[in-house]
Amino acid sequence: MPLTTASSDWVAMVDAIVRRIPASASERDPLRAQVRLLALLSSAAPINMLLDGLATYVETWAEGLHCTVLLVDPTGRLLRPAAAPSLPDAYTHAIDPVPIGIGEGCCGTAAARREMVVVEDVEQSDLWTKYAPIALSHGLRACWSVPIFDDAHS
């Protein structure tokens, strides 16, 4: 979902807060990402900005880690990318949408099983047969996915 003029104002405000934090030598500074996420959570920022802030923060946990947030579409049968700050657009377009089902990568399988799924080598996994070529072409070798449910467990 593209940012609107109103959401651009939120970006400027949150980034102004984050700029006040001392910069570190690291490009992916966990403190800056955490402060930005907390500022977004305490604001009226649009959901796409909140999810991007969350994904950006998760990516600071380890070098080379990429985070994608997928949301269930209105049919309840598909996952659609909502945030993927460091992944190439070509990859996110290639996985849009992901059917919810066993064998649909980690995310589709995790949503279907309603539990965390970890795959150490996408090239060797039966869950990744359909997605391994695109993942490997972007240097992605392993994946884990955790479904997050609302209070109604949906």
Side-chain angles (χ1 to χ4, degrees):
M1 142 181 353
L3 296 176
T4 64
T5 304
S7 63
S8 295
D9 295 339
W10 285 110
V11 171
M13 183 172 30
V14 169
D15 286 341
I17 294 167
V18 172
R19 277 194 297 277
R20 293 185 193 132
I21 303 167
S24 76
S26 170
E27 184 176 313
R28 289 187 180 182
D29 182 357
L31 179 60
R32 293 175 78 83
Q34 185 177 37
V35 169
R36 182 172 190 269
L37 176 58
L38 291 172
L40 287 168
L41 289 171
S42 66
S43 72
I47 189 73
N48 62 321
M49 287 182 57
L50 294 172
L51 295 175
D52 187 71
L54 173 63
T56 299
Y57 173 63
V58 168
E59 290 180 348
T60 68
W61 294 354
E63 186 66 33
L65 181 67
H66 301 283
C67 179
T68 306
V69 178
L70 304 176
L71 298 178
V72 177
D73 81 337
T75 70
R77 295 190 310 255
L78 301 171
L79 300 172
R80 308 292 308 264
S86 69
L87 287 170
D89 287 341
Y91 179 78
T92 56
H93 289 304
I95 64 162
D96 186 11
V98 174
I100 294 174
I102 309 301
E104 297 292 341
C106 288
C107 297
T109 303
R113 289 182 182 166
R114 304 176 69 79
E115 64 185 23
M116 183 168 81
V117 172
V118 177
V119 169
E120 294 179 11
D121 186 349
V122 299
E123 191 171 23
Q124 301 299 317
S125 173
D126 292 339
L127 301 179
W128 277 81
T129 304
K130 187 164 136 182
Y131 303 97
I134 188 70
L136 294 169
S137 75
H138 290 285
L140 305 172
R141 304 273 325 160
C143 183
W144 57 270
S145 181
V146 178
I148 301 171
F149 301 99
D150 61 16
D151 290 340
H153 301 287
S154 55

